[in-house]
Amino acid sequence: MIELKNITKAYMSGGVKINAVDNVSLKVADGEFIAVVGHSGSGKTTMVSLMGGLTKPTTGNVMVGGTDIWTLDNKQLALLRSEKIGFCFQFSSLIPTLTCLDNVRLPASFAGGQRGGVEHALSLLETVGVPDKANAYPSELSGGQQRRVAIARALINEPGIILADEPTGDLDEYTEADIMELFEQVNARGVTIVMVTHSRNLAARAVRTLVMENGTLSESSKTSS
Amino acid sequence: MGPWIKGNLPEGRLKDNEVILGSNAHIFFGKSESYIGDKEVFYGKEFTVVGILDSTGIGIDDGGFVTLASVYNMTKTSESNETKRLLDVKPGEISALMVNVKPEYARVDVATAIETQVSGVAVVTSKELMSSSVARQLEGLRPYLVMIGGGFWVISVLMIGALFSMVVNERRRELGLLQAMGATRAYIFRLVMLEAVQLTAIGGICGMAVGAAVIFVLKGTIEVSLGIAYLWPGAGFIAVFSLSLLVMAISTGILAALYPAIVASRLEPYQAIRTGE
């Protein structure tokens, strides 16, 4: 479970204090599929980054699996990120100098390497639909293929949570639908997914939709899965 | 003669019919090159070449070494064989004597002792023999050379530091992504430092190779312009010296990349990913 307790993240911009996330509280149950929608600059990405421990809140607590993650030291926080959370980012997030197979195996090396076997990585590439791209470099892949490899990489350590920031941002609608189907399959295996998106259509495929506006969060609607 | 000798001399002392030639001696025999085993005639006496010296830059390049007994013998053969020039060396007469001073004795002290205790001799020390003006010039230039070298070293530290700062800035997103995947700060620090070590090690090796090549090409010019012999040091010295330079190059890289590596390790993943997009 992820829980945000009265989270505020403030930035100074031109001498003016701006709350990118303003006193937000949220609970995400295990196995949920949540979509976060909102205009650009509304604080969606900041909120997801707070959930994943990529940035420290100005005030408030971030609980992951019952642990306040900002009470952990750097090493413990890094281990939590590698073992419990998988990230999918906007645009390509693959390391350009590594092959797809090595990209997929990379997070496992930070988590001790037990799950970083070639067989496991290849089976994930097969799961996401790019089994023939193991030895290809990211530059040889289309945008959709790169996103699939990134999803395989996010799954390598079998995390309980996937945080996806605009995972279909620059993809055509067919590839977008394929990626969404992939997320639904992952979610069906019990993995919690929090997905940031601009698209109300994509958000409609999630179980819960949250709306960010000027750093505040509100529940939009509930759809049946 | 040790450093200049080409190949290995035969065991034992030089025999009376053997000669070690200077590097240019072959010219006097009208040859383009002399070889070990060649037979050459001096003042009517035949000698076998048992050694050839490398260029020393001094007078012995044009001559040769034989035993003292051979010299006296040549005075006789030069008369009996009616050679072009007579060798006029009386028994017991010598023109010069080379003294090998042990390292624990000062060269000047030995020279002074000889001059005061042996009448009718003039003593020159090896520094004067080689080229006193060159030695003095090099001595005078040393502080400036050290300053120039130090200046270049400081510039290289700053340049490598600036380069790695740019590399870290260029790769902010990648470094942020690595942290998001579970890389610790220590891992990021090691990553940048390892790249610095690799880069400076390769740079150091290339620099040494280029430096050695330049010296090799300009060896002749150095000898001619300075009037001194150029000698390559022994393999052991070259190995230790090269290793020291490599260590120095790597240390320079480590020092220069320290600050960028610390900056990289302290990047907040969220900011690094967003600002690097």
Side-chain angles (χ1 to χ4, degrees):
Chain A
M1 180 198 260
I2 307 171
E3 188 175 2
L4 304 183
K5 290 181 180 175
N6 306 111
I7 290 289
T8 295
K9 180 69 182 178
Y11 293 105
M12 293 300 286
S13 178
V16 180
K17 187 182 170 190
I18 295 168
N19 287 341
V21 174
D22 193 0
N23 197 32
V24 165
S25 292
L26 171 70
K27 282 184 181 177
V28 182
D30 289 342
E32 269 199 294
F33 189 164
I34 291 180
V36 182
V37 295
H39 297 294
S40 295
S42 60
K44 308 183 296 292
T45 298
T46 306
M47 194 187 74
V48 171
S49 298
L50 285 160
M51 285 181 177
L54 298 182
T55 186
K56 192 174 183 178
T58 310
T59 60
N61 304 94
V62 181
M63 315 291 287
V64 175
T67 306
D68 184 343
I69 64 172
W70 289 104
T71 62
L72 302 175
D73 64 27
N74 178 259
K75 211 171 177 179
Q76 291 169 322
L77 184 57
L79 196 63
L80 177 132
R81 282 197 288 253
S82 68
E83 285 190 331
K84 295 193 173 172
I85 303 169
F87 291 92
C88 292
F89 295 96
Q90 197 173 7
F91 309 120
S92 175
S93 62
L94 302 178
I95 306 298
T97 51
L98 299 179
T99 63
C100 292
L101 184 67
D102 290 337
N103 261 286
V104 172
R105 296 175 69 195
L106 188 58
S109 66
F110 300 129
Q114 290 93 338
R115 301 187 194 89
V118 173
E119 292 300 315
H120 184 210
L122 286 172
S123 74
L124 283 171
L125 285 171
E126 194 168 348
T127 304
V128 299
V130 283
D132 54 334
K133 300 296 179 187
N135 295 316
Y137 285 89
S139 59
E140 298 165 357
L141 272 56
S142 68
Q145 287 170 329
Q146 288 186 29
R147 228 48 62 82
R148 287 169 188 273
V149 175
I151 292 169
R153 185 178 66 186
L155 294 171
I156 188 79
N157 287 331
E158 297 167 9
I161 303 161
I162 296 282
L163 300 176
D165 183 12
E166 301 272 9
T168 61
D170 57 343
L171 301 180
D172 62 76
E173 60 181 296
Y174 300 105
T175 312
E176 189 177 80
D178 288 344
I179 298 293
M180 279 307 295
E181 203 171 304
L182 203 54
F183 276 122
E184 284 165 351
Q185 286 171 16
V186 171
N187 179 238
R189 283 155 45 185
V191 177
T192 306
I193 295 178
V194 179
M195 181 182 72
V196 168
T197 179
H198 277 104
S199 166
R200 292 247 175 201
N201 291 335
L202 290 183
R205 296 175 70 162
V207 180
R208 260 168 92 191
T209 302
L210 304 171
V211 180
M212 277 300 273
E213 200 170 349
N214 296 326
T216 60
L217 195 65
S218 60
E219 192 105 5
S220 169
S221 62
K222 281 197 174 181
T223 57
S224 57
S225 55
Chain B
M1 281 191 293
W4 285 278
I5 202 79
K6 285 179 183 174
N8 298 318
L9 281 176
E11 289 292 321
R13 297 173 68 87
L14 204 59
K15 295 187 180 75
D16 286 344
N17 61 343
E18 293 175 343
V19 63
I20 297 170
L21 294 179
S23 62
N24 295 332
H26 58 271
I27 296 167
F28 297 98
F29 310 124
K31 292 180 172 180
S32 59
E33 194 77 52
S34 282
Y35 299 96
I36 305 288
D38 282 1
K39 305 284 184 191
E40 303 294 356
V41 176
F42 291 88
Y43 294 99
K45 179 174 168 52
E46 189 181 74
F47 288 88
T48 303
V49 178
V50 294
I52 299 168
L53 299 181
D54 210 339
S55 173
T56 63
I58 57 175
I60 59 173
D61 286 349
D62 302 326
F65 288 87
V66 295
T67 62
L68 195 57
S70 297
V71 174
Y72 296 138
N73 200 2
M74 278 191 287
T75 61
K76 293 170 192 162
T77 54
S78 71
E79 290 168 358
S80 58
N81 289 327
E82 295 174 355
T83 52
K84 287 178 190 170
R85 285 179 61 194
L86 286 175
L87 182 63
D88 187 18
V89 181
K90 294 178 176 61
E93 190 178 76
I94 53 173
S95 55
L97 189 69
M98 294 179 88
V99 178
N100 189 8
V101 180
K102 286 186 175 176
E104 61 265 31
Y105 294 99
R107 200 171 44 222
V108 178
D109 292 345
V110 174
T112 309
I114 292 171
E115 276 188 330
T116 52
Q117 291 172 34
V118 184
S119 59
V121 298
V123 181
V124 288
T125 58
S126 60
K127 192 189 268 187
E128 293 161 14
L129 195 67
M130 292 284 281
S131 175
S132 57
S133 61
V134 170
R136 272 199 301 274
Q137 282 171 19
L138 287 175
E139 198 65 36
L141 280 173
R142 183 178 289 178
Y144 300 104
L145 292 173
V146 169
M147 277 170 59
I148 291 168
F152 274 118
W153 183 79
V154 170
I155 290 168
S156 66
V157 168
L158 294 174
M159 291 291 285
I160 296 168
L163 175 74
F164 270 88
S165 292
M166 283 193 289
V167 167
V168 165
N169 204 40
E170 195 73 17
R171 292 170 60 188
R172 285 172 75 90
R173 182 173 159 80
E174 186 182 322
L175 296 172
L177 288 168
L178 287 172
Q179 287 199 64
M181 283 184 258
T184 58
R185 286 178 177 175
Y187 176 91
I188 301 292
F189 178 82
R190 281 199 304 271
L191 185 73
V192 177
M193 292 306 285
L194 188 66
E195 285 184 14
V197 167
Q198 286 173 337
L199 189 79
T200 48
I202 292 168
I205 290 167
C206 290
M208 282 189 286
V210 170
V214 167
I215 290 173
F216 185 78
V217 169
L218 298 181
K219 179 175 170 276
T221 311
I222 292 169
E223 285 176 343
V224 171
S225 61
L226 297 181
I228 56 170
Y230 184 84
L231 280 176
W232 287 101
F237 178 84
I238 289 176
V240 171
F241 189 61
S242 303
L243 200 65
S244 305
L245 289 178
L246 191 61
V247 168
M248 193 186 283
I250 291 171
S251 305
T252 303
I254 289 172
L255 183 69
L258 204 57
Y259 178 70
I262 291 170
V263 169
S265 68
R266 291 187 176 174
L267 286 172
E268 187 187 57
Y270 172 67
Q271 283 298 330
I273 293 166
R274 294 217 82 178
T275 54
E277 278 176 358

